Structures are given as structure tokens and as C-alpha cells.
Amino acid sequence: MTSAPSDRWLRLDGTTNTRDLGGLPTTDGGTTAFGRVLRSDNLQTLSDDDVRRLVGELRLRDVVDLRTTAEVLLEGRGPLRSVEDVTHRHFTLLPERGHHTDVFAVEEDELPDLPADWAETVLPRQTTAADEVEPPAVRAYLGYLHHRPENVVAALRALVDGEGGGAAVVHCAAGKDRTGVVVMFALAAAGVPDEEIVADYAMTAEVIDDLVAKLRESPTYAEDMTRRDVASHTPRAETMRRVLAVLRERHGGPLGWLAAHGFGAREQAALRARLRD
């Protein structure tokens, strides 16, 4: 089975990697529903038309932001932050030092001044002995699960608890790594088979040139985008395939990992219902 990418891309002026999680086949012969959950890169540069389309046509009501506190503060308020009907939730997947205020719980002018070295506040990630043999991208993804399991689960709960039955969007900076891991769990809960999850993850490769070019325009991400070539940023199917294999070996699969971290059968069923008709 392979997904139909052209049906799922959401072409916006201000993003490069936005797509709908609808239209994916499930193991019981169904499909995921359109207009429920989107995945995306950074939303900072949405145009007025983008905002009208997302909020008006797609009824976007919830934004789940997986960036670090530093990224959120360095990038500043995006246009959706001014929309009263849209709720923002922030769940960083990286370990951080220093300030841990929920940046969407208060207005930015109530936060302390941003230190000059705030971009360096992400703590070095420790690799477990079992993961040292894995490829770098796989180690990074397993690191999210090791360092911030509570925020992976919280992000999924935010999807379940969405406001008013509208759409939700999960995003980070590029919409491929942190977003890819959270989306993997959401799709697994919806009954999407592994190879379809892998195919969805790998779709970002279709837009990687434009995505890297966009991030190079932001001072927050320019250095990382410039010092590494495009190939190093490109998601590869074998990366997600290996993450799923590790979860299967250690936990019986993504749903086993979720259950082991407090996201049990009832919540999994609610997440499944969120993504299914």
C-alpha cells in the first residue's frame, strides 16, 4: 500500500511542508478522515490568506507546537496567536535548561528578557547504551522518547482534547523529525499500518529543497541549514522503519510504548476516533 501524496498536501503561502493526515488506509479496510489533524513546518510566516483558509475553511482550532522554548521565543508570535478561536499548546521534545514557563500560557511581555545565549539552552542528549549502535536520526528520535516521554503523550492528549471538533495542526520547525515522531504514534493509534506511516514520514523528501531554503531565511535556523547539506536533512524511509522496529522489539509496537507511558486503551481509542469517521 502507498499513500496518494497529491491529495494530502495543503499548499499555503507561508509553509512548505503542510499536509493532512486524512486519506490513509487502515488495517481494517477504512481510511483516516480529512480535516481532523494536519502536520506542518513552522507557522510563523503564514499569510493573511493562509490564516483565513486554515481558520475559516478548515476550522483550525488547535496548534500543538513541538519546538523548544528558545525557538518559540526567538521566532516570536506567529499570526495564529492573534486568532481568538485558536488554542496553542507547547510541548518541547528536547531537554532544556533554564526557563520552563509555558510560553502560550502567558503573553510574551510577561516573560523575562531572553538571554543572549538562549539558543544554547538545549541540553546535550545522552544516548542509552542500547541506542548507541543506531543511525543518528534513529538515535535522535528514540532520544525524544527517552528524554521527554511525558510531552510526547501530552501532545497526543492535546489532539484528543481538541476544542470544538475543529482541526488541529502538529508542527515543529521543519515538520519532519519531532512532528514525525508524534504523528507516527497518532497514525498507529488510528490503525494505519507501518508502511503507510513510513510513507507519510518520507513524503517530506518531496519538498526538502524548498523547506531548507525557507528555514535558511530565519536567523534561528540559518546556521544549521547552511552548515549541513540538504541530503543530511532529508528524511529517509529506513529511519522511520527502524524506529517502528525498535518499538516493536521493546514494547510490542507504538501502542505498547504508549500504554507503558500512561496513554492506555481508552485514550488510544479516543485518538483513533479523532482521526477516523
Side-chain angles (χ1 to χ4, degrees):
M1 292 182 290
T2 56
S3 304
S6 61
D7 295 334
R8 298 179 50 228
W9 287 111
L10 186 61
R11 307 296 183 183
L12 299 171
D13 299 327
T15 66
T16 303
N17 191 24
T18 306
R19 56 188 182 268
D20 200 306
L21 296 186
L24 292 170
T26 59
T27 54
D28 61 358
T31 57
T32 54
F34 280 94
R36 303 288 180 80
V37 179
L38 313 175
R39 58 178 296 169
S40 185
D41 52 322
N42 200 349
L43 306 174
Q44 297 299 122
T45 54
L46 291 174
S47 68
D48 291 343
D49 284 343
D50 292 338
V51 172
R52 282 192 290 270
R53 185 177 177 193
L54 288 168
V55 178
E57 296 178 21
L58 296 175
R59 297 185 62 246
L60 181 70
R61 295 295 180 266
D62 292 278
V63 175
V64 178
D65 189 338
L66 305 176
R67 296 175 298 165
T68 64
T69 303
E71 288 172 274
V72 174
L73 295 178
L74 287 167
E75 289 286 280
R77 292 172 64 95
L80 285 173
R81 288 281 285 118
S82 301
V83 180
E84 185 177 348
D85 291 338
V86 177
T87 299
H88 287 71
R89 296 179 176 88
H90 174 232
F91 307 106
T92 178
L93 298 193
L94 300 178
E96 299 180 59
R97 64 166 61 89
H99 202 282
H100 293 286
T101 297
D102 181 347
V103 294
F104 297 138
V106 295
E107 295 300 321
E108 277 81 345
D109 59 6
E110 296 178 16
L111 294 172
D113 292 337
L114 192 66
D117 63 348
W118 194 260
E120 307 302 322
T121 59
V122 176
L123 293 169
R125 282 165 277 172
Q126 301 299 313
T127 302
T128 63
D131 295 340
E132 288 178 355
V133 298
E134 300 292 348
V138 176
R139 286 202 307 271
Y141 296 176
L142 295 176
Y144 305 155
L145 308 186
H146 175 71
H147 288 287
R148 283 298 174 90
E150 75 284 0
N151 278 1
V152 173
V153 169
L156 295 169
R157 285 181 176 142
L159 296 181
V160 173
D161 298 334
E163 298 289 337
V169 59
V170 182
H171 82 94
C172 51
K176 63 185 179 72
D177 300 314
R178 292 167 285 187
T179 297
V181 169
V182 170
V183 165
M184 173 269 292
F185 282 112
L187 293 179
V192 174
D194 283 3
E195 280 307 305
E196 288 293 338
I197 294 173
V198 169
D200 172 70
Y201 166 78
M203 277 178 67
T204 295
E206 299 177 23
V207 297
I208 196 64
D209 290 329
D210 290 340
L211 181 58
V212 168
K214 176 199 169 189
L215 291 174
R216 280 179 181 152
E217 296 177 0
S218 167
T220 307
Y221 306 111
E223 181 180 353
D224 186 50
M225 294 298 110
T226 301
R227 67 182 171 83
R228 294 168 51 195
D229 61 19
V230 171
S232 70
H233 293 287
T234 303
R236 305 184 185 284
E238 56 264 29
T239 297
M240 184 56 69
R241 198 173 285 124
R242 178 57 186 158
V243 171
L244 288 164
V246 171
L247 290 174
R248 189 163 52 250
E249 292 163 7
R250 298 179 185 175
H251 303 281
L255 302 187
W257 185 92
L258 289 176
H261 291 85
F263 195 87
R266 181 174 297 181
E267 287 185 300
Q268 290 175 24
L271 182 54
R272 175 187 174 94
R274 182 80 165 91
L275 285 155
R276 301 278 298 268
D277 285 324

